[in-house]
Amino acid sequence: MNHQSQAYKAVLAIAALSSLGGAALAQDTDTPPKSGVQIELNALQDQAGACRLSFVAQNAGTTDIEEAVYETVLFDRAGQVMMLTLFDFRDLPSERPRVRQFDLSDVACEDLGRVLINGASQCQSGGGSTLCTEGLSLSSRIDVELLG
């Protein structure tokens, strides 16, 4: 094998290793946090005179949450407060997803513009009462924004 072909192969090997390192770095930054509660607004569905909100919640921490109740504010599409209510997410076991649904009477889903998690009204766990809010991560899979 000549010297030029060896140099060319070395350059290819370095380029391949560099691209793998970049992929690993990108993977690390996309990893969700390892603690805190993650709540996703997953779906809205009109249900016999009510709007049903479906959430996917996951406690990414290592301590089970026995009770998580969040004070929630609903805004219409114009940005005005529609209502302030409590959503009881009940228990959130460590590292296990849970789906929670809440029916809001006399609310049309099409009128809902944003949902604000205003804070934890109640939080009971072996890890302390701040476990429900520290590292809280919110997202929405639909066109209604979930804030906190």
Side-chain angles (χ1 to χ4, degrees), residues 38-62:
Q38 300 163 4
I39 300 176
E40 173 192 85
L41 178 55
N42 186 272
L44 297 179
Q45 182 180 24
D46 283 310
Q47 200 71 26
C51 179
R52 176 172 289 166
L53 285 75
S54 296
F55 292 90
V56 177
Q58 183 160 345
N59 171 6
T62 57

Side-chain angles (χ1 to χ4, degrees), residues 9-22:
K9 286 182 180 181
V11 168
L12 286 178
I14 291 170
L17 287 174
S18 295
S19 68
L20 286 175

Side-chain angles (χ1 to χ4, degrees), residues 62-77:
T62 57
T63 304
D64 290 347
I65 296 173
E66 290 95 37
E67 180 181 25
V69 180
Y70 290 97
E71 181 180 90
T72 307
V73 183
L74 306 171
F75 295 88
D76 65 16
R77 296 227 176 244

Side-chain angles (χ1 to χ4, degrees), residues 21-33:
L25 181 62
Q27 232 177 11
D28 288 345
T29 59
D30 292 340
T31 305

